[in-house]
Structures are given as C-alpha cells and as structure tokens.
Amino acid sequence: MEEKRIGIVGAGISGLLACKHAMEKGFTPTIFEARDGVVGGVWSETIASTRLQTPKDHYSFSDFPWPDSVTDIFPDHTQVSDYIVSYAVRYNILPQIRFNSKVVSVHYQPANEEKAAFSCNGKWSVVVQNLKHPENPNEVYEFDFVVLCIGKFSGVPRIPRFAMNKGPEVFDGKVIHSMDYAAMGNFRAAEFIKNKRVTVVGFQKSAVDIATEIARLNGTRFPCTLLHRTVHWTVPEALVKLLFTNLNRFSEFLIHKPQESFFIWLLALLASPLLWVFSKAVESYLKWIYPLKKHNMVPDHGFLEQISSCKFTVLPADFYSKVAEGNIVLKQSRTFSFCKTGLILQDDDDASPLETDVVIFATGYESDEKLCSIFASNHFKNRITGSSAPLYRGCIDPHIPQLAILGYSESPAILHTTEMQSKWLAHFLAGRFGLPKVSEMEEDSRGWEKCLQKYAGRHYKRACASVLLQIHCNDQLCKDMNCNPRRKNGFFSEMFCPYSPVDYRI
C-alpha cells in the first residue's frame, strides 16, 4: 500500500511535533518553513525580556527533558529557543524541512462523488513560493493529508481601526506593532526606543513586557506610557508555580464537563463554591501584593472568568516598582485617536494630547484571519470564521477533509497540549482508530462550547477548550489511542498529584 504523503506548514513547535510523531509511525512528512534555517516559531524572534509563563516542568517535551544547565523555573527566550532546536536535532527533524518555502495557498481536490470527511481519496494541492528565488514560478505539491502549524501569535497583527484623519497617517512619529519590535532584535530595538517618548497600547503579556523593558532603558527622563482599554489580572511567578502544582484530577472534578454523567454533574455543582472561594482568594492576594486600587488597576471581572478565556499574564517582577518610580505611566481609555504630536484619549480629563514619539501596538494577532488566508476555498475560509465551537479534539474541523490544525488550542501549557494532539493525530494517520461521524463530532464540539461558556462568559474563545480541563482532554485523546488515561500509580497520586508532560510518554 502506498504511503500517505503528509505536508506540514510551519516549523514552529507544533510543526516539529507533528513531524516527529508522524515519523515515528513510519511516515516521511515534508515541512514548509518560510524563514531561512529557523525553527521554533515565535520563540526564535521575540523581545529580549521574554520568559516562559509556564514552569519548565510543564512546558517540556514528554520524551526530551530540559538540560541540567537550565536551572531557572521560568527560562528566558534564548534557553527556550535552544531547547526547541535541540529537540529538532535529537529527532532528526531538520532534514524534513524545506526552508525559504512560503505556502501561498492550499487547495483541496475531492475524489469523484466524495462525501465523507477524511476519506482516503481526495488530495491537497499546496502552492509554495521559493523566497530565495521569488522570481521563479510557484511550485505545487500534492499531499494526502495536510497539517497546518502556522501559529496564533504571529503573521497578521491586530490593529485598531480609526476614522478618517484620526489614524496613524496624521501622526508625525513612528507607529509599529509588537511583532515589528520583536523582529528588530535586541540591539536595534534598544536603539529604536532609546531616549524617546514611547506609548505601548495593550495590557497582555507582550504589552507589559515591552513597557517594562523600555522603562528599564529610558528611566524617568523618558517614561513609557502603557495605554490600555481593559484591565486584566496579572500574576507573579510564585503564584504561577502554586497554580500548576494544583493541576490534578481532584481540581478538575470542580469543573463541569461536556456530556458528563449525572454523578459528575452533581459533584461539580456541589463543589462550585470552592471555585468561587479560589477565585476570590486569588483576587484578594493580588490586591494585597500589588497596588491595584492605588493605580485604578482592579479588573471588573473575576479571575476564574479571565483564565477560562486564556488571558493569563505573568507580570515582570519590577513592573509596579517602575510605575512607582515614574518610569511607567498607566493610562486607561476606551478609545483614542491620533493627532500630529501624539494621541487624544477619550477618557482623559486632560484635553491636551498625550505627546509621544513612538506608538507600539501590543494588541495581539488576527489568528483566524491568518488561518483563513491560506485556504483557496471560500467554503473552508467560512468554516474557520463561521463557527464558535471548538475544533474536534482541538485540531479537527469535521468539514475540512484530510486536514488538521495544530497549535490553535490554547492552554496553561501549550507545548504539552500540542504534543498530545500530535500523538493523537499520528495514531489516526497510522490507522490505529477512526473518527466518528461528522454529526457526532459536531455534537461533541457544541457540547464543549456550551460548557466553556459557563466559565468564560463574554470572554469565551473557541481555542480555550483545555484551559481548565487539560487532564480530561488528555483522557479523551488517550482513550482514542487505546492508551490507559490513568498515568500514575495509586489512588492518592492519581487524584492529588499534578500531571505533567512526563506522565504521557506514550
């Protein structure tokens, strides 16, 4: 029987994992990577101060431990990048990568009268541009299965829209996105913002990191303004370590699950006050260690609601000390516009503009738009944007045949989540199990959507299926792969000890 031809788009963490586990099942996949000799995705190009937000024991490959030389619980971006490259070398993934190869589009060619999703008859045409020789005609490759590993935090920046003559075009200074700032490299970025009045827009991880980095360099002479619309809960590294030690089966009994039995539903219902107490305890602790009330930085939503929507930011240790010193100026406004000398804030009592030289938008990415742009078919584009339900098992759209999307799901430990999905996908491609009917997969996805909306509320995102239920998600994947989902020895360990990637050496 002819071997399935598998094409993988992107050599970030998800692309490397997809390739490694497919190779273990006897396949010879091809990875297309637009950059020249670079693997690791966003970790290969980020700002100087970026560190893991996840303890390294939970952000690791199950069969490839961190080197002994890395002693920090939260390694910096250089250590993370080196770790990922070492993994690619260890499992001989680099020969499978075609660098300088940008995938322009993917187009599905169904077989005659094909009706079932994930049949073995259709083919994907992958159109690739050679970036070293862009004048050459695009090449077209044919695959039986395609894995999209293009990431969520790169590519298409999210920039607010402004009315005519109210946007960056009327501003005399420089306007960039955090993506552009990271791409400069450490030296050029420092030179770019040195001795300039900088305004950073946003309040997620990249925003607070960039603002703190600029404050350290420019001091009080040129303070950095952090302009935000919504305040979010931010946590110290010590609390992150504590939270991860409680990622066990017992804690997941407190959370409602899709298609749960009456007993499990009743248990979660009776335990719901514990969740409320936990959320309020964390909020009280954060108000105690940080001067949130003093700076009007108390969010109007609960901590549990925030983490349910994958908004989880570890604050640099010296952030509020920089605020107290005057190196960082906090400003909140629902909307703003540009003028010649800076920004006009809607909610600022001071009618004068916020004068600035540089504006950096740390406002995230249009991940769905980036994903849609790769499909030639409008039908498949609409599948991505037309549904709010999570992907089946975090990586499959039931109506896009012979294709998986890895690196889309968000979780407390995204590397671990992606590795589990990669193992599951490799088992599926090897014929170890089959998929349910399309209607059953859709029903499963709708069940997850309904369940997650209970906790995330108005902040619900379809990509956050495993944020509160990582072990439960892994149980489902293990059962599909015919592996024992119980990975520990003894009742006490199974219930109360934290689960980590090393438990899933499948």
Side-chain angles (χ1 to χ4, degrees), residues 90-284:
R90 166 65 179 82
Y91 290 105
N92 201 33
I93 300 171
L94 297 180
Q96 308 305 125
I97 305 175
R98 299 192 180 187
F99 293 105
N100 299 297
S101 299
K102 179 183 179 181
V103 174
V104 178
S105 66
V106 295
H107 175 68
Y108 185 65
Q109 302 172 358
N112 293 336
E113 299 181 357
E114 181 177 310
K115 295 182 180 179
F118 293 92
S119 73
C120 299
N121 302 319
K123 306 291 181 186
W124 282 96
S125 293
V126 178
V127 181
V128 179
Q129 179 187 19
N130 185 335
L131 295 184
K132 265 198 170 180
H133 302 283
E135 71 280 0
N136 293 348
N138 292 340
E139 297 181 85
V140 180
Y141 298 84
E142 194 172 81
F143 294 101
D144 300 297
F145 199 96
V146 166
V147 189
L148 298 183
C149 303
I150 58 178
K152 290 175 65 69
F153 306 109
S154 63
V156 183
R158 179 180 296 127
I159 302 290
R161 295 184 179 182
F162 299 91
M164 186 177 295
N165 297 323
K166 297 291 185 180
E169 71 278 2
V170 302
F171 178 48
D172 282 347
K174 299 287 186 180
V175 180
I176 64 172
H177 190 268
S178 57
M179 175 181 71
D180 307 308
Y181 182 80
M184 291 179 183
N186 299 346
F187 178 78
R188 283 184 57 219
E191 287 298 309
F192 178 71
I193 55 90
K194 187 176 181 180
N195 295 333
K196 292 187 178 71
R197 298 168 298 178
V198 181
T199 298
V200 179
V201 181
F203 199 71
Q204 290 298 310
K205 180 60 175 171
S206 59
V208 296
D209 279 354
I210 292 173
T212 307
E213 190 172 290
I214 294 171
R216 291 168 186 162
L217 181 65
N218 284 347
T220 55
R221 185 182 175 194
F222 297 96
C224 177
T225 300
L226 185 59
L227 175 61
H228 53 280
R229 181 176 59 186
T230 304
V231 179
H232 299 293
W233 296 103
T234 55
V235 299
E237 290 182 351
L239 181 59
V240 175
K241 289 186 286 185
L242 177 64
L243 293 175
F244 270 89
T245 60
N246 288 282
L247 293 180
N248 53 42
R249 288 194 181 276
F250 176 79
S251 64
E252 291 199 1
F253 275 132
L254 310 181
I255 309 295
H256 285 288
K257 303 169 183 64
Q259 291 89 41
E260 60 192 356
S261 66
F262 174 76
F263 174 75
I264 298 298
W265 172 85
L266 182 61
L267 185 62
L269 180 66
L270 295 175
S272 59
L274 291 177
L275 273 182
W276 182 87
V277 170
F278 159 76
S279 184
K280 293 304 176 185
V282 171
E283 292 167 24
S284 297

